[in-house]
Amino acid sequence: MPSRTPLLDERAIGRTLARMASEIVERSRGTEELVLVGIQRRGAELAARLKRLIDASEGSNLSCGKLDITLYRDDLQTIGPRPVVGETSLPDLDGKTVVIVDDVLYTGRTVRAALDECADFGRPRRILLCVLIDRGGRELPIQADVVGTSVSTGPGDRVDVFVSELDGRDAVELVRKGG
Amino acid sequence: MSTSSLGKDLVGLEPLSAEQILLILDTAEPFKEVSERAIKKVPALRGKTIVNLFFEASTRTRISFEFAEKRLSADTVNVAAAGSSVSKGETLVDTAKNLEAMRIDMVVIRHGASGAAQFLGQRIRSNVINAGDGKHEHPTQGLLDMLTLRDRFKRIKGLKVAICGDILHSRVARSNIWGLTKLGAEVGVCGPATLLPRQVEELGVTILPRIEDAIQWADALNVLRLQLERMEAGFLPSLREYNRVFGVTSERLARAPKELVILHPGPMNRGVEIDSDVADGPHSVILPQVTNGVAVRMAVLYLLAGGSPDWAAGADGPPREERGDR
């Protein structure tokens, strides 16, 4: 039987995102030329929330985009049925500080694909990576600049992120393989 | 080679389910945006080799496929029948087997014989996409017509689409009839009696004897190209007479009870099946059809390609029964 452990509840997610929002502003030294880009699908929802938090505290109006990395995956040749391709809509990235937002950082392959895709859209001055959960297990030399929570996991484990926009509730749960 | 959610090949819309057709249309949506980017290219089919094997003349379809392939980063080779070993009498299967011996992944074929794409798909390991076979089907044209209709009307179900012109010889008509009826649209056909297939109503379509009937009945007209060689074969008295009786003109459209959306698969004979002011008018979606063609073909290529390439067995490969595709 797999076991399900809550990592963050709704209030903890709210606090974590608020801290991440101020860390992003700190790291990018202000909101000028700052662009948030969320990776479809939950990263895009988290990016939209971070934008609202930053805009509220800084009085800014950040550009926010969505990125679907499906067509940039390195495993398209080996996986079975074609994954569904989502929407990509990006603002101008040239010369900007781009913050890539995702829910979970694991192998780093999604971020690698996102970096490649961003490079096809423009030449950002700088790219930062911001994730709600860092679960370790990297297969590429990639690290996050802003992290909500770190948790150590095994290869059989799963981290489920639920966001109210898509799932009706906010929660992060660790699902461990039984045994 | 792979078995995708569409199977190995796309030979027509007749064998597809409504779900499979919708999957292609939905997958085409994000691909529209790829063509709007400054760098119109994604790496999804990097390393795949695709041969465009065209035994009949084609500009739009061949270029559209080629753009779709290139925008997915596939490597492409165009083979035209004229100037190739086909003109020296090589058979279709030999041509394709020789291409496969060079380790290709997909073949896009246009051929004058109905059933050529299916015939080829059953004999080679590569994915085969039908780009028009005789009078049988032209599935990607049917799909792009449906995508364009869905863009305009936000639905297909319940739409009334009249296909006008030479239904008898038209693979575009057949793909449209199969695809649209599967998605719940009502299809009408309108054309000279000599150019309507016998028992066409068995396909579940309404016969509209006059173009005025089609204009009264339909939400959209799909005006087919009148192939000029039909006149020589005695199906029609003259082009001028065709235009007078069946031409889609702004005078006739002015009497429609609602604004009709006008489709045409191209190339147009202006002043024969369609008048210039209709083709260039505000309700014409002829150019959006061309734009959508690239997106739909990208979707088909993306959905069919992939899986682990098992080329180790060599170009001949095991017989079809052992391969387990289909």
Side-chain angles (χ1 to χ4, degrees):
Chain A
M1 271 294 285
S3 69
R4 200 172 258 279
T5 325
L7 294 179
L8 299 174
D9 61 11
E10 190 186 334
R11 294 182 56 185
I13 289 176
R15 279 196 302 273
T16 307
L17 285 175
R19 176 177 56 73
M20 289 165 74
S22 60
E23 249 184 89
I24 289 170
V25 178
E26 230 174 82
R27 284 228 155 214
S28 58
R29 294 180 203 93
T31 56
E32 274 188 29
E33 308 291 302
L34 182 62
V35 174
L36 299 183
V37 172
I39 297 178
Q40 292 276 33
R41 294 171 46 176
R42 285 170 181 73
E45 300 300 341
L46 295 176
R49 286 201 211 177
L50 287 167
K51 169 189 154 58
R52 286 198 294 274
L53 289 166
I54 293 173
D55 284 349
S57 67
E58 301 292 316
S60 54
N61 183 16
L62 291 187
S63 316
C64 192
K66 294 176 186 179
L67 197 60
D68 183 285
I69 55 95
T70 308
L71 299 170
Y72 285 75
R73 287 171 71 138
D74 58 8
D75 57 356
L76 269 181
Q77 304 307 320
T78 50
I79 48 179
R82 310 267 87 184
V84 175
V85 188
E87 178 198 356
T88 293
S89 60
L90 289 178
D92 181 21
L93 303 182
D94 280 331
K96 300 290 190 326
T97 296
V98 173
V99 180
I100 294 177
V101 180
D102 205 1
D103 52 353
V104 179
L105 176 59
Y106 181 32
T107 62
R109 288 180 192 272
T110 300
V111 177
R112 196 277 311 158
L115 290 171
D116 283 356
E117 187 160 12
C118 280
D120 282 352
F121 275 90
R123 186 181 182 281
R125 194 174 63 82
R126 193 171 161 216
I127 301 182
L128 299 173
L129 176 60
C130 165
V131 297
L132 182 61
I133 307 291
D134 180 352
R135 58 167 289 191
R138 223 76 80 232
E139 294 171 2
L140 295 172
I142 278 170
Q143 62 178 5
D145 300 284
V146 176
V147 177
T149 303
S150 295
V151 54
S152 66
T153 60
D157 301 342
R158 217 174 64 219
V159 176
D160 288 348
V161 174
F162 302 94
V163 296
S164 53
E165 292 90 335
L166 299 172
D167 311 301
R169 65 186 176 116
D170 276 359
V172 180
E173 293 170 2
L174 173 61
V175 186
R176 283 205 194 274
K177 224 167 32 180
Chain B
M1 179 197 67
S2 70
T3 32
S4 66
S5 38
L6 298 184
K8 175 176 157 289
D9 307 323
L10 178 69
V11 298
L13 299 187
E14 181 184 0
L16 295 189
S17 66
E19 290 70 34
Q20 288 172 312
I21 292 171
L22 284 171
L23 173 69
I24 300 172
L25 298 184
D26 291 343
T27 304
E29 293 293 342
F31 284 118
K32 289 180 186 169
E33 176 265 326
V34 173
S35 296
E36 304 298 326
R37 298 180 185 181
I39 296 182
K40 301 175 186 55
K41 211 174 182 67
V42 292
L45 294 192
R46 203 160 57 92
K48 294 276 180 195
T49 306
I50 304 179
V51 174
N52 299 316
L53 192 54
F54 278 66
F55 292 90
E56 279 187 347
S58 163
T59 308
R60 197 179 335 262
T61 304
R62 185 176 56 75
I63 292 177
S64 178
F65 265 110
E66 205 175 339
F67 274 138
E69 292 154 1
K70 286 185 178 356
R71 286 178 191 175
L72 291 171
S73 302
D75 296 308
T76 65
V77 177
N78 292 320
V79 181
S84 74
S85 53
V86 174
S87 58
K88 300 179 187 169
E90 191 174 59
T91 67
L92 172 58
V93 170
D94 281 337
T95 303
K97 288 230 160 132
N98 276 277
L99 291 168
E100 276 209 312
M102 297 181 221
R103 301 293 185 265
I104 60 165
D105 301 288
M106 302 176 104
V107 177
V108 176
I109 180 175
R110 164 161 297 186
H111 199 284
S114 305
Q118 183 170 12
F119 176 83
L120 190 65
Q122 286 167 346
R123 281 160 184 82
I124 65 174
R125 299 162 55 84
S126 310
N127 304 103
V128 173
I129 299 174
N130 183 4
D133 62 331
K135 300 175 212 164
H136 175 231
E137 281 219 45
H138 188 353
T140 55
Q141 179 72 43
L143 289 163
L144 75 88
D145 291 344
M146 285 190 275
L147 186 64
T148 310
L149 286 168
R150 195 173 74 166
D151 284 352
R152 267 299 162 112
F153 293 97
K154 309 296 170 214
R155 68 191 165 98
I156 299 277
K157 203 179 165 81
L159 277 185
K160 289 180 171 171
V161 182
I163 306 171
C164 309
D166 179 1
I167 313 293
L168 180 63
H169 299 95
S170 175
R171 51 198 176 207
V172 176
R174 247 161 286 263
S175 286
N176 263 277
I177 291 170
W178 285 117
L180 286 166
T181 50
K182 276 170 200 273
L183 294 191
E186 287 183 61
V187 179
V189 292
C190 174
T194 50
L195 293 175
L196 290 182
R198 277 181 212 160
Q199 269 110 41
V200 66
E201 58 273 31
E202 283 175 15
L203 295 174
V205 304
T206 308
I207 294 178
L208 305 157
R210 300 181 319 138
I211 191 73
E212 290 81 3
D213 302 329
I215 288 169
Q216 284 297 316
W217 177 83
D219 298 307
L221 297 185
N222 197 345
V223 187
L224 301 178
R225 168 182 150 76
L226 187 75
Q227 288 171 302
L228 304 180
E229 54 271 30
R230 305 294 171 230
M231 206 176 54
E232 284 132 43
F235 289 100
L236 292 172
S238 78
L239 293 183
R240 190 195 280 182
E241 165 138 349
Y242 184 84
N243 179 257
R244 200 167 53 74
V245 181
F246 283 101
V248 178
T249 63
S250 47
E251 295 75 41
R252 288 195 165 118
L253 287 178
R255 276 176 247 130
K258 57 195 152 200
E259 304 284 8
L260 295 188
V261 169
I262 308 292
L263 298 93
H264 191 299
M268 284 185 276
N269 299 308
R270 287 174 182 263
V272 181
E273 72 267 10
I274 189 166
D275 276 7
S276 275
D277 51 353
V278 175
D280 305 328
H283 305 295
S284 157
V285 290
I286 296 172
L287 291 175
Q289 282 177 277
V290 178
T291 308
N292 278 342
V294 177
V296 144
R297 291 177 176 117
M298 288 172 83
V300 169
L301 291 163
Y302 169 75
L303 290 169
L304 285 182
S308 46
D310 48 355
W311 275 110
D316 308 323
R320 186 171 181 77
E321 298 72 53
E322 293 166 31
R323 299 204 315 257
D325 43 27
R326 295 264 172 141

